[in-house]
Amino acid sequence: MIKFAVYRNNGNKISGLTIKGHAGYGEEGYDIVCAAVSTTLWMAIKGIETQGLANVSYEQHDGFVSCNISSEREPACDAILNSLMMTISELSKQYKKNIFIVNGVE
């Protein structure tokens, strides 16, 4: 199962994400749930980073990604992060046994 933790600052804006685990929906390399989560996550992170909307730092290794987003950011950064969470939320509804979203504590 993928555990998707979202952290929010005092202004209720997303300040970080931690993703752990594998979906276990399909064979490694062919798991559509893992692919959907990965694609959604990296589209958001790289979009924010390459457009200069906020400073983003992240750590990645097999089955793990941790990402921090600076509090100084452009409004478009929050739009991307909210779209990320909406997509992950929809995926977790479709694949309840494979994705679990938790609210982290800063």
Side-chain angles (χ1 to χ4, degrees):
M1 173 175 277
I2 294 172
K3 182 178 174 186
F4 196 105
V6 58
Y7 302 90
R8 295 181 182 274
N9 62 23
N10 291 338
N12 203 33
K13 294 186 182 219
I14 296 170
S15 60
L17 305 162
T18 302
I19 299 88
K20 296 179 184 177
H22 294 281
Y25 183 80
E27 184 181 331
E28 187 176 331
Y30 298 93
D31 190 321
I32 63 169
V33 177
C34 274
V37 170
S38 293
T39 300
T40 303
L41 174 70
W42 288 109
M43 182 280 308
I45 290 173
K46 291 299 184 178
I48 292 166
E49 186 177 56
T50 60
Q51 297 299 313
L53 302 176
N55 289 324
V56 179
S57 61
Y58 53 87
E59 173 188 349
Q60 172 192 13
H61 51 83
D62 186 44
F64 177 84
V65 176
S66 179
C67 174
N68 292 302
I69 301 103
S70 66
S71 58
E72 292 184 25
R73 59 178 91 178
E74 297 294 325
C77 175
D78 294 312
I80 291 172
L81 291 170
N82 290 335
S83 293
L84 163 70
M85 290 311 302
M86 183 175 43
T87 303
I88 296 298
S89 178
E90 288 301 315
L91 286 168
S92 73
K93 290 175 188 173
Q94 293 174 20
Y95 300 98
K96 293 178 179 125
K97 295 179 183 178
N98 308 97
I99 304 170
F100 181 65
I101 300 172
V102 296
N103 290 314
V105 178
E106 275 196 328

